[in-house]
Amino acid sequence: MARPYHPGPKQFVFGVGDGVGDGDDRRVSVDDPQEAYVAFSAFFSGRESDTYTVDDESAGQRLVLMPGRGVIVRIEAAGRARSEHLTVDRAHRYLPSAMLFFENGFAGLDRFGQWLPAVADLDASPEARGAARAAAITTEAAAIEEVARIWGDSGTIDPSDQLYVFFGAHGLDEDQAERAELLGLITFLGLQRVDAPSEASDGEVWVRTDERLDVELEKWS
């Protein structure tokens, strides 16, 4: 569960490069996430760098934006230390990721995409990345939540109310990693995939509705 954001003043440190000793760090004190977002947007837009960092030192958490590589990294040093990596295929996703970090830190980015534990995983094919992500999900609750996240990006419910449609109007060359992940999760959850109608796009995935998913999908409608 995402931790609640505690009202300010709260401090963040913005940096470029590796964020250490480059002389361009900026420490800000803000009263709410929106104020932090406005300050970081100006910092981000006013510089040319392959890497930008946001540190929440009190929580032991860091967000790293790497436009030069098309990667976002989230790091949690406190407690169960971990870092996770995400491939970004659209430039406009960097600042929204920062807003989620300002709102709820590391956990705020849970539903932002396919987080992978090792940066080397990002070099795998989209299908391999998706399969690896699906294999890393080991509980029904987490699998249902992830299926709902995938559906929330481009999903619909067929007018019959008996079928979920994923990747509506998308081709097979789109969403390859998430499609591979979804297919793995369908198998894990024992969901029933059905043939898409002839007029559907070749990238669509049609699945029979399941009461386990109905409540979670409602949150994304």
Side-chain angles (χ1 to χ4, degrees):
M1 179 180 296
R3 64 179 174 85
Y5 183 91
H6 298 290
K10 187 176 178 68
Q11 290 193 340
F12 294 98
V13 180
F14 305 154
V16 295
D18 62 10
V20 178
D22 55 22
D24 199 27
D25 291 356
R26 176 173 299 178
R27 186 176 297 271
V28 299
S29 181
V30 296
D31 290 323
D32 57 57
Q34 183 62 37
E35 186 179 350
Y37 175 78
V38 170
F40 182 70
S41 295
F43 181 88
F44 183 87
S45 302
R47 288 161 177 76
E48 291 290 337
S49 179
D50 288 338
T51 303
Y52 301 81
T53 59
V54 179
D55 282 282
D56 181 346
E57 294 176 338
S58 63
Q61 298 182 355
R62 167 179 275 201
L63 178 69
V64 183
L65 310 180
M66 306 172 68
R69 294 191 57 185
V71 171
I72 296 174
V73 185
R74 59 175 183 169
I75 300 168
E76 186 171 47
R80 184 166 65 91
R82 53 181 168 158
S83 61
E84 294 183 339
H85 308 76
L86 173 72
T87 295
V88 180
D89 56 4
R90 296 185 294 275
H92 67 266
R93 299 199 77 201
Y94 293 105
L95 287 175
S97 74
M99 184 63 191
L100 292 172
F101 185 78
F102 294 135
E103 289 179 333
N104 284 304
F106 186 99
L109 288 150
D110 281 349
R111 297 185 174 185
F112 198 64
Q114 285 188 331
W115 294 100
L116 298 170
V119 68
D121 294 335
L122 302 179
D123 295 329
S125 69
E127 291 82 2
R129 294 201 310 268
R133 173 66 175 164
I137 296 174
T138 57
T139 68
E140 179 176 287
I144 288 172
E145 185 176 24
E146 184 69 356
V147 168
R149 180 193 67 78
I150 294 171
W151 182 87
D153 285 339
S154 58
T156 59
I157 296 179
D158 181 70
S160 69
D161 285 333
Q162 296 180 0
L163 298 165
Y164 306 127
V165 182
F166 295 82
F167 312 114
H170 290 199
L172 277 174
D173 59 341
E174 302 175 85
D175 309 296
Q176 293 172 325
E178 294 214 327
R179 185 177 295 102
E181 179 186 3
L182 175 66
L183 296 179
L185 294 174
I186 286 172
T187 299
F188 176 75
L189 290 170
L191 301 176
Q192 182 181 354
R193 184 180 178 185
V194 302
D195 292 335
S198 59
E199 66 272 15
S201 297
D202 58 6
E204 293 182 7
V205 176
W206 290 56
V207 178
R208 195 164 301 282
T209 56
D210 188 295
E211 62 182 11
R212 293 174 296 169
L213 285 170
D214 288 340
V215 174
E216 193 66 29
L217 291 187
E218 185 68 26
K219 301 175 184 177
W220 294 86
S221 299

